[in-house]
Amino acid sequence: MDTDCLFCRIAAGEIPATVVHETDTTLAFRNINPEAPVHVLVIPRAHHADVVALAQADPGLAADLLAAAAAVAEAEGLRGDGFRLLFNTGGYAGQEVFHVHGHLLGGRPLGPMLAR
Ligand code: AMP
């Protein structure tokens, strides 16, 4: 755990979050500033800065993260209408929290993938 990392502290239970799914290796919680009716962040409990670092260091954990995101999509009723799962990575993507997290977005039509 990185004690300076917001999402490590959420995973440790030190900072409250609305948890919707958890496994031994992953945690999913609602975004504090949602941009869609469903906006859940899915993280590994272990600290990896971004999706590239995660995939390189621990591909099995990356698979756990994807499975957790799929489980949340099912549980939130997003499978039928569809949803978006995205990983902001680095500066051009505007990544703010450097503990890898998938944004699971759904509950309404999401529009074009990128802002014009
Ligand atoms: P990113 O820009 O991909 O790094 O996204 C970071 C996300 O974390 C933003 O959408 C924030 O709204 C969200 N966020 C920041 N602090 C919290 C928190 N304490 N609980 C839940 N979501 C948070």
Side-chain angles (χ1 to χ4, degrees), residues 6-7 10 15-17 29-35 39 41 86-88 93-98 101 103:
L6 174 62
F7 288 176
I10 287 176
I15 293 176
F29 51 94
R30 297 202 187 280
N31 195 307
I32 202 167
N33 186 21
E35 297 191 31
H39 189 170
L41 301 176
L86 65 88
F87 293 85
N88 288 325
Q95 184 177 2
E96 294 174 351
V97 178
F98 285 82
H101 50 282
H103 291 256

Side-chain angles (χ1 to χ4, degrees), residues 8-90:
C8 280
R9 297 185 68 195
I10 287 176
E14 293 178 9
I15 293 176
T18 304
V19 172
V20 298
H21 186 267
E22 53 186 321
T23 69
D24 287 350
T25 58
T26 68
L27 188 72
F29 51 94
R30 297 202 187 280
N31 195 307
I32 202 167
N33 186 21
E35 297 191 31
V38 175
H39 189 170
V40 172
L41 301 176
V42 188
I43 68 168
R45 292 183 183 276
H47 184 86
H48 298 277
D50 61 28
V51 72
V52 176
L54 171 63
Q56 290 178 345
D58 194 340
L61 183 55
D64 289 354
L65 190 65
L66 202 55
V72 176
E74 293 267 19
E76 296 285 324
L78 303 181
R79 185 126 161 80
D81 288 330
F83 60 90
R84 190 168 286 156
L85 176 64
L86 65 88
F87 293 85
N88 288 325
T89 306

